Amino acid sequence: VQAGEHRDRADALEAADRLKNMFLSNVSYEVRTPLTSVVGFSEGLQMGLAGPMTPKQQEYVSDIRRSSEELKTIIDAIIDLTAVDAGAMELRLSRIDTGEMLQAVAEKLASAIERRDLSLNVEVADDAGNFVADAKRVEQILSNLLSNAIGFSTAGGTIRMGARLNGKYVQFWVSDSGRGIDPDFQKRVFERFQSRPVPGGHRGPGLGLAIVKSFVELHGGQVSILSKVNQGTTVLCAFPVNGPSKSETIGAPGN
């Protein structure tokens, strides 16, 4: 009887997990559609399609667009994590030029770096030429890490981003010189919905590093973090040079 009860409980938990994933995925898609329209209309207003605006109106529209894009990023993260949990995310593997990938991410966030009065150093070792991975997911990983580094850096600071060969892995790193992470929080930093508020600074829903961990491990790689309070933070991501094994190209269901 006890074994049967355990099976029933396991089946109920599995059904509840499937229902949760379906709910998150469906709701996220429903919210994403009108949000895309908000971003589009705000872009149109900024371009002057509805006529000239006062400086204050321009400021408000810019805030609307930025906030909408941040919300869209959060929704996309929820959709991606739901797909990983359901074992439904398939990697599209190709050979990636390491230097070009880092440069693309740096250019993507150049305006945010300039806005915060920061400097970015990109360092690519000669032996880190290319590797096999899903280019879209690698870009998401590095963009999340660089965005975090920007958000937690103080004005005038320097961020380092680079890659090198480490055995059978290409190892990327993003390093900031910000306030660092408390030792107690470091244990939870890759968990979902864990964020570290900074007065007057960056705060997110705590999905960025969860996405990083999920996508790196989906590639058969490893992620780690090094941080000291008031001395900055470095996040390291290692990807197999020749890509994940076949069993790792599709995500395994989450626990």
Side-chain angles (χ1 to χ4, degrees):
V1 177
Q2 193 172 13
E5 289 177 352
H6 282 310
R7 276 198 303 273
D8 290 343
R9 177 176 168 76
D11 289 344
L13 288 172
E14 187 178 342
D17 199 46
R18 282 199 304 270
L19 185 62
K20 177 198 71 175
N21 286 337
M22 287 175 58
F23 174 78
L24 283 173
S25 182
N26 290 335
V27 169
S28 297
Y29 275 114
E30 290 296 328
V31 173
R32 194 181 190 281
T33 301
L35 190 58
T36 301
S37 296
V38 173
V39 173
F41 282 126
S42 61
E43 287 177 351
L45 288 171
Q46 283 186 309
M47 293 168 61
L49 297 182
M53 292 189 294
T54 66
K56 181 58 70 175
Q57 289 171 331
Q58 282 277 8
E59 182 184 334
Y60 286 159
V61 170
S62 178
D63 287 342
I64 290 170
R65 180 180 174 183
R66 185 162 55 249
S67 296
S68 299
E69 288 175 342
E70 288 175 358
L71 183 55
K72 184 170 172 287
T73 299
I74 294 168
I75 291 169
D76 287 345
I78 292 172
I79 292 172
D80 286 338
L81 287 170
T82 301
V84 171
D85 285 349
M89 178 167 287
E90 194 166 345
L91 299 177
R92 298 179 182 275
L93 302 175
S94 63
R95 190 158 291 280
I96 300 170
D97 184 288
T98 305
E100 289 179 4
M101 173 59 71
L102 286 169
Q103 196 58 43
V105 172
E107 290 174 2
K108 179 181 177 181
L109 291 167
S111 60
I113 292 168
E114 184 178 353
R115 209 163 41 238
R116 295 293 300 272
D117 190 27
L118 300 169
S119 299
L120 174 64
N121 293 340
V122 179
E123 308 157 12
V124 186
D126 293 337
D127 59 7
N130 55 67
F131 66 109
V132 175
D134 185 319
K136 177 182 176 182
R137 302 308 176 188
V138 173
E139 183 176 339
Q140 279 182 272
I141 289 166
L142 295 176
S143 295
N144 275 327
L145 294 181
L146 184 53
S147 179
N148 265 3
I150 293 168
F152 288 104
S153 294
T154 54
T158 298
I159 297 171
R160 294 173 55 240
M161 178 172 69
R164 59 175 171 254
L165 189 65
N166 186 3
K168 296 181 179 180
Y169 294 84
V170 170
Q171 187 178 62
F172 289 87
W173 71 87
V174 178
S175 181
D176 66 65
S177 55
R179 69 185 297 274
I181 306 173
D182 295 331
D184 288 343
F185 188 77
Q186 289 184 40
K187 301 171 186 175
R188 310 191 309 275
V189 74
F190 289 108
E191 295 176 9
R192 299 174 193 185
F193 302 107
Q194 296 288 335
S195 62
R196 41 188 179 126
V198 178
H202 179 77
R203 181 191 175 97
L207 290 174
L209 288 179
I211 280 280
V212 167
K213 185 175 188 292
S214 293
F215 285 178
V216 171
E217 291 181 349
L218 202 57
H219 281 84
Q222 300 169 344
V223 60
S224 58
I225 192 164
L226 305 170
S227 185
K228 289 186 178 180
V229 175
N230 299 322
Q231 294 184 36
T233 299
T234 298
V235 182
L236 302 123
C237 300
F239 295 87
V241 173
N242 295 317
S245 64
K246 286 185 179 181
S247 62
E248 290 164 335
T249 57
I250 299 177
N255 295 325

